[in-house]
Amino acid sequence: MINTQDLERLKEMIRSEGLSFYIETYGCQMNAHDSEKMGGILLELGYRQATDKFGADIVLFNTCCVRENAENKIYGNVGKLKQVKKQRSHMIIGVCGCMMQQKDAAAHLFRMFPFVDMCFGTTNMQELPEMIAGILLDDKRQLNVKYDVQVEEEMPMLREQPPLASVNIMQGCNNFCSYCIVPYVRGREHSRPMKNIVKEVEFLIEAGYREVLLLGQNVNSYGNNSEEENFPKLLEEIAKTGIDRIRFMSSHPKDAGRDMFEIMARYPNICKQLHLPVQSGSTSLLKRMNRKYSREHYLDLIREVREIMPDIKISTDIMIGFPGETEEEFLDTLSLMREVRYDSSFDFVYSPRKGTPAASMPDQIPEDVKQQRIMQIVALQSELTFESNLRNVGKTELILIEGKSSRDPSMIAGKTDGGVMVNCRGDISLVGEIIPVKITEAKKTTLIGERI
Ligand code: SAH
Ligand code: SF4
Ligand code: F3S
């Protein structure tokens, strides 16, 4: 812990020099939410928010290492600041997040990039004030990665303006899918106490937020170590706060079931949207991936959820090119996608991650086969998404206006209950309102509507 005297000195220095910060975030929503926490800490220290990284006095790269291409991009972007730092020598450059939690990664980066002033991981961002003090007051580089997960409560947060907010409910992962680095860099599962989560949602309602996204590596493992707290119960308690909309991601098929679906159906403020990553449609491949469910079990879940909520929108993650993936196993994935008729999917090419069991499995799939397979997946999904969007045409949907449309700045945009983005005419003053819109046209990934 930093002592009060140093903290005051640091704050005085930051304020009097009018210093500013910029955070560049990679990876998933959990990382984005961590950046909101770091932003909160920096604001509390007196930093202003900079509009770009080149003019900022402290730049943090919050990194992701789930696939190799994410890592390469980050190395490239950190490297680009070397020249900037030559001209602005007082600038602090920090690299943090999942990439730094890999074995020896932080030490390696520190050696490779001498202009980087600090490296820290996913579990100790609350130590930012002492790390910055170490650099600004004592002129010492900071290498500070920890491996025990501590989930801090009541951290300051720099959130986006209403109406949308993310709320972390659990983090870490105990599943060890054979391809995945996340359990190594995020540590074991840890759930926040239910009462703290409910209190946070109540606070958000008070502050004008209308939709919360509950976050966790596997949200439906929530409370697995406790008798009283579990995910369906948490959903119910949050629904009872009266917040207008609740979404959550990701759910693991092995922990999804009727109890969760029934709570979703019972409360109108729980959005009828389910992200249920399948990865593969082949039972033999799922076994090698250590996913702990079969194709048949997964399809039963989909049947059950649609029986309870016929109009639910279902999305997934698909991975192709896992070691030894045969043509037949690949075709099973295509056929499962057709059978489920996913409304959308995130499609990935398998990327070997050092230290995971799959990285040393025989029969790694050649790059050209991977490319040819991913193209088929993407093509199929875009057909399915378009068909799904067409089914919305003519319907009236309630949409929560989020802001200007990104496709046409004269329009505004917001999501349906099922999570599909709708663009319509309207004034920007409608941001934060939930309005009925008649869907008039389906685009490839979005919808066009008219206010009624
Ligand atoms: N916990 C979530 C997924 C988190 S990671 C779940 O199990 O559903 C998000 C997605 O990244 C995964 O669903 C997977 O499709 C993809 N992914 C993870 N490791 C990968 C790897 N080594 N190569 C390619 N994609 C990967
Ligand atoms: Fe990775 Fe599997 Fe954990 Fe998801 S459940 S984070 S894919 S190990
Ligand atoms: Fe990436 Fe870490 Fe998320 S590895 S996907 S940022 S949990």
Side-chain angles (χ1 to χ4, degrees):
M1 276 294 276
I2 184 169
N3 66 47
T4 344
Q5 220 176 358
D6 281 350
L7 185 63
E8 284 316 312
R9 251 176 82 206
L10 181 67
K11 283 184 171 175
E12 177 50 35
M13 182 173 176
I14 293 168
R15 245 179 262 128
S16 63
E17 293 181 24
L19 301 183
S20 64
F21 75 93
Y22 188 87
I23 305 178
E24 187 153 301
T25 308
Y26 299 82
C28 63
Q29 259 126 343
M30 182 73 84
N31 251 22
H33 192 51
D34 284 350
S35 290
E36 295 186 331
K37 293 182 188 164
M38 292 190 283
I41 295 173
L42 293 172
L43 275 186
E44 240 177 36
L45 281 177
Y47 279 101
R48 296 175 297 113
Q49 213 173 345
T51 45
D52 75 74
K53 61 183 164 188
F54 302 105
D57 301 293
I58 175 166
V59 180
L60 297 179
F61 290 88
N62 190 8
T63 63
C64 170
C65 55
V66 77
R67 285 169 289 276
E68 194 184 2
N69 52 10
E71 287 198 298
N72 290 343
K73 198 160 124 199
I74 293 163
Y75 277 117
N77 287 344
V78 175
K80 279 186 203 149
L81 281 191
K82 187 175 172 182
Q83 292 308 323
V84 182
K85 176 124 182 187
K86 272 195 184 143
Q87 274 128 41
R88 309 182 72 240
S89 58
H90 72 284
M91 184 182 197
I92 296 180
I93 300 175
V95 185
C96 58
C98 292
M99 214 167 120
M100 296 298 99
Q101 295 288 152
Q102 286 172 290
K103 199 167 169 284
D104 302 328
H108 174 70
L109 187 119
F110 230 42
R111 270 197 310 275
M112 202 166 92
F113 292 141
F115 60 94
V116 167
D117 304 281
M118 66 175 160
C119 287
F120 56 100
T122 51
T123 69
N124 60 334
M125 53 199 158
Q126 68 282 5
E127 290 166 17
L128 254 177
E130 47 267 52
M131 291 187 259
I132 296 173
I135 300 165
L136 287 183
L137 306 178
D138 297 332
D139 203 19
K140 277 199 195 108
R141 288 174 90 200
Q142 305 284 316
L143 179 62
N144 184 2
V145 180
K146 299 212 163 115
Y147 295 94
D148 53 329
V149 180
Q150 321 152 27
V151 181
E152 290 286 312
E153 293 292 332
E154 313 210 356
M155 297 252 283
M157 255 179 249
L158 169 61
R159 296 187 191 267
E160 296 285 329
Q161 291 296 315
L164 313 183
S166 299
V167 174
N168 176 244
I169 65 163
M170 60 84 67
Q171 53 184 296
C173 178
N174 295 350
N175 293 321
F176 290 94
C177 300
S178 60
Y179 51 81
C180 184
I181 193 80
V182 171
Y184 304 86
V185 297
R186 284 279 176 177
R188 294 299 68 73
E189 282 173 7
H190 180 103
S191 298
R192 289 179 63 200
M194 192 138 90
K195 64 173 197 320
N196 294 9
I197 300 170
V198 171
K199 215 165 81 190
E200 188 172 332
V201 174
E202 285 165 349
F203 166 82
L204 289 168
I205 298 174
E206 225 20 51
Y209 289 90
R210 303 198 69 178
E211 178 174 316
V212 288
L213 174 62
L214 309 180
L215 291 178
Q217 259 82 35
N218 295 290
V219 284
N220 52 353
S221 303
Y222 175 81
N224 264 353
N225 297 322
S226 129
E227 293 281 303
E228 301 89 48
E229 306 197 334
N230 58 47
F231 187 61
K233 218 170 190 173
L234 175 71
L235 267 184
E236 180 159 36
E237 289 306 311
I238 296 177
K240 284 186 190 158
T241 62
I243 183 104
D244 293 286
R245 284 178 162 193
I246 303 162
R247 302 185 199 276
F248 52 88
M249 79 184 301
S250 285
S251 325
H252 195 298
K254 82 172 169 51
D255 296 313
R258 185 168 281 272
D259 48 352
M260 169 177 151
F261 303 152
E262 280 176 349
I263 296 289
M264 288 176 75
R266 190 173 310 152
Y267 290 91
N269 55 348
I270 304 179
C271 291
K272 304 302 174 269
Q273 174 191 21
L274 181 64
H275 184 63
L276 199 63
V278 69
Q279 314 300 349
S280 164
S282 151
T283 297
S284 52
L285 195 55
L286 287 168
K287 195 158 179 78
R288 302 208 296 283
M289 288 178 165
N290 194 28
R291 286 292 287 181
K292 304 179 181 99
Y293 53 86
S294 64
R295 174 190 177 99
E296 290 66 36
H297 177 73
Y298 186 91
L299 288 173
D300 283 345
L301 281 177
I302 298 293
R303 229 167 279 131
E304 196 169 15
V305 80
R306 287 218 170 107
E307 199 183 286
I308 300 172
M309 293 169 281
D311 290 328
I312 193 163
K313 293 275 183 187
I314 302 176
S315 57
T316 198
D317 293 349
I318 301 277
M319 186 196 304
I320 60 86
F322 185 85
E325 181 186 59
T326 63
E327 188 62 20
E328 203 185 334
E329 287 170 332
F330 168 67
L331 292 177
D332 281 346
T333 299
L334 286 176
S335 80
L336 178 123
M337 288 171 71
R338 273 198 207 93
E339 203 167 329
V340 178
R341 290 183 289 113
Y342 286 113
D343 298 288
S344 66
S345 72
F346 298 101
D347 310 321
F348 303 110
V349 174
Y350 166 72
S351 163
R353 302 285 63 207
K354 215 168 126 203
T356 62
S360 49
M361 284 181 188
D363 305 323
Q364 297 286 328
I365 304 296
E367 208 44 49
D368 58 327
V369 177
K370 285 181 176 170
Q371 283 316 315
Q372 185 232 330
R373 287 183 181 167
I374 192 75
M375 271 158 50
Q376 291 185 61
I377 298 283
V378 171
L380 172 58
Q381 186 56 54
S382 64
E383 261 175 52
L384 295 176
T385 302
F386 187 57
E387 281 169 20
S388 161
N389 285 349
L390 280 177
R391 285 194 291 273
N392 283 75
V393 176
K395 286 191 186 161
T396 297
E397 296 270 3
L398 287 173
I399 71 171
L400 168 55
I401 302 297
E402 295 175 14
K404 267 191 190 162
S405 153
S406 57
R407 78 181 350 252
D408 176 351
S410 72
M411 293 175 109
I412 50 175
K415 288 195 211 82
T416 64
D417 182 82
V420 187
M421 191 59 89
V422 180
N423 295 292
C424 67
R425 304 244 159 252
D427 191 74
I428 196 75
S429 62
L430 287 169
V431 168
E433 301 288 322
I434 297 179
I435 57 171
V437 163
K438 179 150 181 170
I439 306 302
T440 53
E441 192 185 341
K443 297 278 180 192
K444 274 175 91 166
T445 55
T446 57
L447 298 168
I448 308 285
E450 266 167 28
R451 282 178 66 199
I452 41 179

